[in-house]
Amino acid sequence: MEISNNHSIDSIAKIFLNTTQRILEKSTGKEINYANTIQKIPRISMRPDLTCFVQFYGDYMGLVIFNFSEEAAFEIYRHYMINMGMPEDELAVSTSDPEVPDTIGEITNQLMGQLIKAVEEAYDLNACYGQPKALTISSAISLSINDTYTENRRLSFKINNYIFRIELSMENTEFIDVAAL
């Protein structure tokens, strides 16, 4: 097991990049690209147009927010449902249809399961997560769940040139490989 010398949040963020790309490409059948830069940010926020957040806790703790532009959310929803065998004429026609945030919430749930599993495989640490909450919003909302979540990162993705982002907040923790001691 190789532990990065960087803050552990950066190692977790890299897992989020790779796992999100892999899972969304598989579930939508579309190419998902991510920026090769992880941004360090002062706080995380839920941003328009569609957002989904979930807290995780256990051996490591934090909060993750998935922020989608209306176009990105609809693109992911549409291709996910088509890939699942839903006929195009039965799909929702806009993100205001409750089916879209419900589907994004379900996709987030699947992503979190794979993300937690990937972190466990990499670091032999476990965490649980709550039920993702997806909603449509028209202005940014900052979230502060716990003052100990002092490390914040933003990850940027694209699907068909439509942008979505993951904002990750974690307690300040460092993973140290005991074999290296």
Side-chain angles (χ1 to χ4, degrees):
M1 167 177 19
E2 182 180 317
I3 306 290
S4 168
N5 290 332
N6 295 339
H7 291 285
S8 294
I9 191 171
D10 296 329
S11 301
I12 300 295
K14 187 173 181 184
I15 290 172
F16 271 55
L17 286 169
N18 294 321
T19 302
T20 299
Q21 179 185 44
R22 180 176 48 82
I23 297 302
L24 285 180
E25 283 185 345
K26 184 176 180 182
S27 65
T28 64
K30 300 301 285 182
E31 185 177 0
I32 305 293
N33 296 302
Y34 62 79
N36 289 321
T37 302
I38 296 171
Q39 294 174 273
K40 183 176 182 176
I41 55 176
R43 69 182 156 295
I44 61 173
S45 299
M46 298 181 346
R47 302 186 187 279
D49 295 306
L50 195 147
T51 187
C52 191
F53 65 96
V54 62
Q55 191 171 10
F56 54 92
Y57 50 92
D59 293 333
Y60 56 99
M61 294 182 283
L63 174 68
V64 63
I65 299 173
F66 295 81
N67 289 315
F68 300 92
S69 67
E70 184 174 2
E71 298 84 4
F74 196 74
E75 193 77 358
I76 290 169
Y77 156 78
R78 185 175 167 280
H79 290 288
Y80 175 82
M81 297 305 283
I82 290 169
N83 212 30
M84 297 285 290
M86 176 78 78
E88 280 194 63
D89 62 344
E90 293 181 23
L91 296 176
V93 294
S94 78
T95 55
S96 61
D97 186 319
E99 185 178 325
V100 177
D102 288 351
T103 300
I104 293 295
E106 174 55 34
I107 292 168
T108 300
N109 192 40
Q110 292 172 19
L111 280 170
M112 287 303 297
Q114 290 301 309
L115 291 163
I116 295 297
K117 181 181 175 187
V119 171
E120 184 172 2
E121 288 172 359
Y123 299 108
D124 198 26
L125 297 172
N126 194 294
C128 300
Y129 60 95
Q131 182 66 35
K133 307 292 186 237
L135 20 125
T136 54
I137 59 174
S138 58
S139 59
I141 301 169
S142 291
L143 284 183
S144 178
I145 300 294
N146 185 330
D147 289 338
T148 63
Y149 295 174
T150 57
E151 295 290 324
N152 304 294
R153 300 295 185 267
R154 181 180 298 133
L155 317 172
S156 297
F157 296 84
K158 284 185 182 177
I159 180 170
N160 289 344
N161 285 327
Y162 300 126
I163 296 172
F164 63 99
R165 295 177 179 89
I166 294 177
E167 294 191 9
L168 173 65
S169 185
M170 287 180 62
E171 63 185 341
N172 188 2
T173 184
E174 189 173 341
F175 300 159
I176 300 167
D177 183 358
V178 287
L181 296 176

